[in-house]
Amino acid sequence: MIARTFFLCCAFFAVCFAVVPEARIEALNSPLTTGAANRAQIDRALEIVEETGCEPNLCFAIDGSSSITDDEFQLQLDFVALITGLVSLDEQSGYSAIQYGLRPKFMSRFTQDAAAFLLKVEGTRQLRSVRTFIAPGIGGCMRQFRRVRGQANKIILLGDGRSTFDSRDPPLDPPSIAAQFLAEPNNSICAVGVSFDTTELLEEITGDPDRVFSVADWMSVVDVLADLVEQVCGADAVEF
């Protein structure tokens, strides 16, 4: 597993979240935040957040199946932390996360405490399920948004794009469950698929090909960071 210390301690983490966004990002000790190309993506994403006044509620659905290695799972957690650090300028935003495998497992239920949310995410253990069941991951996120219906609620689905256990028929297939969530005008789903041949399922889930981002490997997820943040921080994620 990638050797690193996410934060020196809870107190240090809280201090980092009390200051400028750049300090929040610097608190990460991850391969995703190193290198000129990654920093350029992060800087562009910061500009988007600051320009739009982005204030969405986020739920992350991440792949905990055994097709994801230890290092890849850690990079998923890092990516969740990176996105949260970027869009948490507004204290009114909320965060939740669920890990999907054969059975879903909550990493953090809905909270507006970004620091507490990220500490729970970092402490998550991988399910290592032999099957990948995407539908409950989407459904779990939907339940987390019940008390904030009508707000800008965004699901970010991460994974290798494979679903080995879902029903293929409505109403239990992932696209049908996602469609129930997308029926609310301020809701949206973005998906990041890593190292797979087709984006067809993810496009059906998001309902919009522009909300699907494909990369070759988990080290490359930062390549789509700014475009993903731009989708998350759309007009329906801003209070005028």
Side-chain angles (χ1 to χ4, degrees):
M1 181 176 287
I2 298 171
R4 66 183 187 79
T5 302
F6 188 61
F7 300 109
L8 294 178
C9 63
C10 295
F12 174 71
F13 179 63
V15 169
C16 288
F17 252 78
V19 293
V20 296
E22 288 83 353
R24 302 173 188 173
I25 305 306
E26 292 302 330
L28 279 165
N29 181 21
S30 168
L32 299 185
T33 61
T34 60
N38 287 355
R39 296 303 306 188
Q41 281 283 332
I42 292 169
D43 289 344
R44 181 181 161 215
L46 277 170
E47 291 176 0
I48 292 169
V49 171
E50 292 168 351
E51 289 173 1
T52 61
C54 184
E55 50 185 19
N57 297 314
L58 298 179
C59 182
F60 298 90
I62 79 167
D63 193 339
S65 67
S66 58
S67 63
I68 303 295
T69 68
D70 290 348
D71 287 356
E72 290 169 342
F73 185 75
Q74 185 60 62
L75 288 171
Q76 282 191 94
L77 300 185
D78 290 356
F79 196 52
V80 169
L82 182 55
I83 295 170
T84 303
L86 287 166
V87 305
S88 59
L89 293 172
D90 192 326
E91 295 180 356
Q92 300 305 310
S93 293
Y95 313 91
S96 55
I98 189 168
Q99 183 182 171
Y100 62 87
L102 180 58
R103 298 177 180 176
K105 179 180 180 181
F106 279 104
M107 300 157 62
S108 174
R109 297 184 184 274
F110 188 85
T111 177
Q112 292 180 319
D113 187 336
F117 166 74
L118 286 179
L119 287 172
K120 288 182 179 180
V121 168
E122 178 58 19
T124 299
R125 292 186 178 182
Q126 186 176 357
L127 289 171
R128 300 184 186 282
S129 170
V130 295
R131 296 186 179 181
T132 305
F133 199 10
I134 293 177
I138 300 170
C141 280
M142 291 171 61
R143 290 191 293 275
Q144 291 304 293
F145 290 137
R146 282 176 178 171
R147 69 177 187 177
V148 289
R149 288 188 65 181
Q151 296 185 17
N153 298 322
K154 314 291 181 178
I155 295 175
I156 298 178
L157 175 65
L158 305 175
D160 59 17
R162 300 176 182 88
S163 184
T164 61
F165 194 68
D166 288 308
S167 168
R168 296 184 180 181
D169 301 314
L172 300 178
D173 61 309
S176 294
I177 292 175
Q180 298 175 37
F181 177 71
L182 295 174
E184 294 279 346
N186 288 338
N187 293 353
S188 68
I189 302 174
C190 291
V192 179
V194 180
S195 184
F196 63 101
D197 296 330
T198 177
T199 61
E200 182 178 356
L201 175 62
L202 296 182
E203 289 177 10
E204 291 177 359
I205 290 172
T206 64
D208 184 348
D210 290 340
R211 295 186 184 273
V212 177
F213 304 90
S214 178
V215 295
D217 54 59
W218 286 99
M219 280 294 294
S220 302
V221 290
V222 182
D223 294 349
V224 300
L225 175 66
D227 290 337
L228 174 61
V229 168
E230 189 169 30
Q231 285 286 351
V232 169
C233 295
D236 56 359
V238 180
E239 181 178 343
F240 294 98

